[in-house]
């Protein structure tokens, strides 16, 4: 009790300092913003513009530059204050969650180090709260007493940890504290897990576990693969890793250097608040489909069709397009001398008028050396076209007809068409304006030359496919699905010209087990300099597109990129009973021993021979929010229609299992889990995924007998 009282006093002192800092920053921002606005209003009068002589002009430019630097400095000062105020406001909700009592080896007295979601110092720059990502906080997450060490600027500092506490704090109130050397269970972790996270993912800063911390802080391995069982927090770990890297390399990178590939749009929304809660900007977050849509000349398939295609048994053609061997064949072919490789050209036209004929393009191509690759030869043709087109426009700009058109332009037309007024009527000036006018008029020709739309890459792609597979590529499916679009993008990148993409430092891929080898190869081609963080669970490979983790590792090794693997086998999401059930649904030959952190909880309910009307009657008076998971979107839509006219006492969500991946729900019904729906090894993985979404209660229903896949597992467990 004395310790609790002392810690409450310390918390109150820190809280008062946080409040004082908040008030100071708020006043500073109010005053400086007003002063800054006033400065901006008078900026034009503060600088006397004088261009009478060279000396006067230089003095004027120097004064303008000085004023610009002054404005930039004020903007930086305001931005820094705004960032600090936001951090203080985050800390006011819960100033810290941990404490270390330790001494440095050369000292004799212990010091206290408090760990929070952000750092906080007093006016003398003494550390009062240390950011969870700071080097010293690594000792806290190791959860060990006695000798320890941490690294700062490549220098290892040795310490001796005597005590480690965790706190539950609400604003300025210390609710509970735990000496983690004596606590039987991690109460802070259990309290965090008890929260309802159905709407959005929370940061796990206060409850990061030792094995998770290693992944988050790993700066030794460039490419890492995290295999985590359902509920192991692998996505949370990946998000915390992004936050850590942004902090650790804050002088070199920003959120713009990251990209996250999310499994679906709903999940993108689900994870959208994790990084802002830690004071970090969200990186660019896309689904694979959205990325393809941004890069391709053709619209990507919508998300519903995207998932429907992934669930279908692939055609013979799609099987080839998904293969790593096929992509390797394309990569090998791309670096070879073009030689006699067949290429086809399309004329460049403007309003049905041929600007550059197919024959002209073929002739230009023949002038490029055969020893060059196809991409090098095409780029050579492109440069020749740019030169020819430039000369043609210059020649036309000298014609009297164009000259007269330029002279006839009103000032308004000049501004609109040229973006400026014509300075004078000298011949050189008018010809420059005429050239600009022609460039604007024939902009489509410039674009066609630049993007190489005059190269028939579809025919070229079809030829390569036929050479590899010995059968033709079907034209009906071109551009209609992800497999074909990635194929054409790879053709463009390897043989036409490199696709322009952001220069990423880090790429995070969630649910990586659902990617095909070709898709992974494609991402490695697009982002050769990015460090990859891949997270997933082989037991949740619920699509026909899945790739085993051993094969993913081999893809990286063949690309000369060692991939370091982590395994997370503790599940923090579901009750012990639910965890035990989905653990028995693993499909690997040697299943992982999954440990459950949460108590056993409620027994799983099994309701067979339950028609929809009986199910609706049973759930319509439920008081707690309920999530119903179906195998397909079709089933989900039918059930939603039946629920439309029913008066419900609570919110009931119906969604297909593939959209629930990565998320968690307190109360779940697995709908129509009969043998017709679930009978194969793939279905077993779907069941594993569905059951592991539930945290508190799970009801499994069927309109006939429940699938033997589940019954065998439950009878085995009993």
């Amino acid at each position: 009790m004395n310790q609790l009282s002392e810690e409450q006093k310390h918390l109150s002192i820190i809280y008062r300092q946080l409040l004082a800092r908040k008030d100071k920053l708020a006043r500073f921002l109010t005053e400086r913003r007003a002063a800054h606005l006033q400065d901006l209003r008078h900026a034009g009068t503060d600088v006397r513009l004088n261009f009478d002589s060279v000396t006067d002009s230089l003095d004027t430019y120097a004064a303008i530059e000085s004023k610009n630097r002054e404005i930039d400095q004020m903007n930086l000062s305001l931005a820094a204050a705004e960032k600090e105020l936001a951090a203080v406001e985050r800390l006011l909700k819960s100033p810290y969650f941990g404490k270390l009592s330790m001494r440095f080896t050369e000292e004799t007295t212990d010091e206290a180090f408090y760990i929070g979601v952000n750092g906080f110092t007093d006016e003398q720059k003494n550390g009062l709260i240390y950011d969870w990502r700071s080097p010293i906080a690594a000792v806290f997450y190791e959860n060990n007493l006695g000798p320890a060490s941490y690294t700062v600027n490549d220098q290892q500092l040795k310490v001796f940890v005597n005590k480690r506490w965790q706190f539950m704090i609400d604003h300025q109130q210390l609710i509970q504290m735990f000496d983690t050397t004596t606590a039987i269970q991690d109460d802070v972790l259990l309290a965090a897990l008890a929260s309802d996270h159905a709407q959005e993912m929370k940061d796990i800063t206060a409850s990061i576990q030792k094995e998770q911390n290693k992944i988050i802080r790993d700066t030794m391995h460039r490419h890492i693969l995290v295999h985590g069982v359902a509920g192991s927090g692998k996505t949370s770990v990946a998000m915390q890793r992004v936050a850590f890297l942004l902090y650790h390399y804050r002088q070199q990178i920003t959120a713009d250097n990251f990209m996250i590939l999310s499994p679906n749009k709903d999940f993108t929304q689900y994870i959208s608040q994790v990084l802002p809660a830690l004071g970090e900007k969200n990186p660019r977050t896309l689904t694979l489909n959205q990325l393809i849509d941004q890069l391709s000349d053709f619209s990507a398939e919508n998300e519903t069709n995207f998932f429907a295609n992934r669930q279908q048994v692939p055609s013979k053609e799609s099987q080839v397009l998904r293969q790593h061997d096929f992509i390797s064949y394309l990569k090998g072919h791309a670096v070879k001398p073009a030689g006699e490789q067949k290429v086809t050209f399309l004329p460049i036209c403007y309003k049905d008028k041929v600007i550059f004929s197919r024959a002209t393009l073929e002739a230009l191509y023949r002038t490029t050396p055969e020893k060059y690759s196809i991409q090098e030869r095409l780029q050579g043709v492109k440069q020749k076209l740019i030169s020819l087109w430039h000369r043609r426009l210059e020649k036309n700009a000298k014609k009297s007809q164009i000259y007269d058109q330029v002279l006839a332009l009103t000032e308004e037309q000049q501004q609109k068409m040229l973006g400026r007024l014509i300075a004078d009527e000298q011949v050189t000036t008018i010809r420059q304006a005429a050239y600009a006018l022609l460039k604007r008029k024939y902009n489509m020709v410039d674009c066609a030359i630049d993007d190489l739309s005059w190269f028939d890459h579809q025919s070229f792609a079809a030829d390569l496919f036929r050479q590899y597979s010995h059968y033709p590529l079907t034209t009906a499916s071109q551009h209609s699905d992800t497999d074909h679009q990635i194929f054409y993008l790879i053709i463009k990148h390897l043989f036409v010209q490199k696709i322009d993409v952001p220069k990423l430092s880090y790429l995070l891929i969630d649910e990586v087990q659902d990617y095909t080898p070709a898709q992974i190869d494609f991402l490695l081609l697009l982002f050769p300099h990015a460090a990859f963080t891949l997270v997933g669970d082989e037991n949740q490979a619920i699509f026909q597109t899945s790739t085993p983790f051993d094969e993913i590792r081999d893809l990286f090794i063949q690309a000369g990129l060692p991939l370091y693997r982590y395994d997370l086998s503790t599940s923090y999401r579901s009750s012990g009973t639910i965890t035990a059930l989905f653990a028995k649904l693993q499909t690997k030959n040697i299943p992982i021993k999954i440990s459950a952190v949460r108590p056993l909880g409620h027994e799983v309910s099994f309701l067979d021979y339950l028609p929809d009307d009986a199910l609706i009657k049973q759930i319509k008076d439920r008081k707690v929010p309920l999530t119903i998971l179906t195998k397909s979107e079709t089933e989900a839509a039918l059930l939603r229609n039946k629920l439309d006219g029913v008066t419900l006492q609570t919110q009931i969500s119906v969604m297909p299992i593939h959209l629930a991946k990565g998320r968690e729900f307190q109360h779940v019904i697995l709908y129509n889990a009969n043998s017709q729906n679930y009978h194969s090894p793939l279905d077993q993985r779907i069941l594993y995924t569905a059951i592991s979404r539930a945290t508190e209660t799970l009801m499994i229903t069927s309109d006939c007998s429940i699938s033997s896949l589940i019954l065998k597992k439950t009878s085995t467990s009993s």
Side-chain angles (χ1 to χ4, degrees), residues 140-155:
F140 175 80
Y141 289 115
E142 284 300 310
N143 199 14
N144 292 327
L145 298 186
S149 65
Y150 65 97
T151 303
V152 181
N153 296 328
D154 297 325
Q155 182 182 358

Side-chain angles (χ1 to χ4, degrees), residues 73 487 689:
Q73 194 61 41
F487 170 46
T689 305

Side-chain angles (χ1 to χ4, degrees), residues 520-634:
I520 294 171
D521 279 331
F522 172 61
L523 294 171
L524 288 171
L525 277 172
L526 281 187
F527 306 107
H529 305 298
F532 282 67
T533 296
L534 315 174
V535 298
D537 178 3
E538 287 182 298
N539 284 298
Q540 294 187 64
I542 66 173
F543 301 114
Q544 298 286 351
T545 55
S546 63
T547 305
F549 277 21
D550 286 346
E551 189 173 339
I552 292 175
R553 181 201 60 205
D554 291 342
L555 292 176
F556 273 75
I557 290 173
Q558 289 178 42
L561 307 171
L563 186 64
Y564 189 82
R565 174 167 170 165
Y566 287 97
D567 290 285
L568 297 174
S569 58
T570 301
S571 182
Y572 302 97
R573 176 189 294 144
S574 306
S575 69
T577 301
I578 295 171
T579 301
L581 178 56
F582 75 71
K584 291 181 178 297
L585 287 161
Q586 296 179 81
T587 54
K588 297 290 287 182
N589 293 332
I590 305 175
I592 299 169
K593 183 180 179 182
I594 301 177
S595 304
V597 169
R598 301 185 67 168
L600 286 175
H602 301 279
E603 289 294 322
V604 177
S605 301
F606 297 90
L607 296 177
D608 54 5
Y609 297 96
L610 187 73
D612 287 350
D613 56 349
L615 171 63
I616 293 170
K617 185 176 180 181
Q618 186 166 120
I619 64 175
K620 69 176 184 176
D621 295 325
R622 289 281 191 98
K623 304 295 184 186
V624 294
L626 195 61
T627 302
I628 302 176
L629 299 180
T630 64
K631 188 179 182 186
S632 67
E633 175 58 42
T634 302

Side-chain angles (χ1 to χ4, degrees), residues 174-437:
L174 176 57
I175 298 170
Q176 215 165 352
M177 64 179 288
F178 306 95
D179 180 344
T180 58
T181 61
T182 58
I184 297 172
Q185 283 187 316
D186 188 343
D187 298 86
V188 175
L189 173 61
L190 291 175
L193 295 174
S195 303
D196 177 15
H197 295 177
Q199 298 305 312
E200 60 186 37
M201 180 179 285
K202 311 291 185 183
D203 74 87
I204 59 168
T205 309
S207 58
I208 292 171
Q209 300 300 293
K210 186 173 181 177
E211 70 275 13
Q212 297 172 331
N213 184 57
K214 288 180 180 177
I215 301 169
I216 292 168
R217 293 175 180 266
D218 185 349
T219 57
M220 291 181 60
H221 302 101
R222 183 163 174 77
H223 307 286
I224 65 173
L225 171 63
V226 181
H227 181 256
V229 300
S232 59
K234 53 188 174 292
T235 301
S236 295
V237 166
M239 297 299 289
Q240 303 285 144
R241 175 169 169 78
V242 173
F244 172 78
L245 292 169
L246 285 169
Y247 176 90
H248 188 74
Y249 296 114
R250 56 193 177 279
Q251 303 302 327
Q252 297 119 289
I253 60 174
T254 68
D256 293 334
N257 301 114
F258 285 76
M259 180 186 287
I260 298 173
L261 287 181
S262 169
N264 56 68
K265 293 176 184 176
D266 287 347
F267 194 73
T268 300
Q269 183 62 35
Y270 179 60
I271 63 175
S272 63
Q273 294 307 309
V274 175
L275 292 171
L278 299 171
E280 300 293 352
K281 176 186 170 186
N282 269 325
R284 184 187 292 103
T285 305
L286 303 167
T287 64
L288 176 63
N289 220 26
Q290 288 172 323
L291 175 63
I292 293 168
D293 195 46
Q294 290 184 5
L295 302 178
S296 177
D297 297 329
F298 300 89
S299 297
E301 58 185 339
N302 63 50
E303 195 166 87
T304 301
N305 291 341
F306 175 69
F307 284 116
N309 284 331
R310 295 172 96 185
Q311 291 167 326
Q312 293 174 1
V313 176
S315 65
K316 185 179 177 183
E317 186 171 294
S318 290
Q319 287 178 38
V320 172
L321 296 177
R322 294 175 182 181
Q323 287 176 13
H324 167 68
D325 287 349
F326 179 51
I327 308 304
S328 294
Y329 170 80
L330 297 177
K331 287 163 67 176
H333 210 76
V335 296
K336 291 179 180 178
E340 298 300 319
Q341 174 69 47
K342 181 183 176 183
V343 292
T344 308
F345 297 101
L346 303 170
I348 299 175
C349 300
Y350 176 78
K351 293 184 177 179
D352 297 328
K353 179 184 177 182
V354 175
I355 305 297
F356 291 106
S357 68
R358 182 182 286 111
T360 299
L361 295 168
E362 290 171 350
L364 289 173
Y365 184 77
R366 286 194 296 271
T367 65
T368 60
E370 289 189 4
K371 65 179 181 179
Y372 286 3
S373 69
I374 289 175
Q375 184 172 111
E376 289 170 331
R377 295 184 71 178
L378 290 175
Q379 290 299 315
V381 173
K382 176 180 173 179
Q383 295 307 314
K384 291 175 185 292
L385 284 172
I386 291 172
S387 178
L388 287 171
W389 182 235
H390 171 73
R391 291 203 298 271
R392 186 181 299 187
L393 290 180
E394 278 193 328
K395 181 180 178 181
N396 287 335
K398 296 176 182 178
K399 291 182 177 179
S400 58
Q401 181 184 358
I402 303 297
Y403 193 96
D404 293 340
Q405 285 180 15
V406 172
L407 289 175
L409 293 174
T410 65
E411 287 190 352
E412 183 180 349
Q413 289 172 328
Q414 291 174 33
Q415 199 69 49
K416 180 180 178 181
M417 296 181 180
L418 305 175
R420 56 181 172 79
L421 296 178
I422 300 172
D424 53 60
E425 294 189 7
Q426 293 184 21
V427 173
T428 303
T429 304
I430 301 302
R431 283 179 179 172
Q432 288 174 347
Y435 180 85
L437 194 66

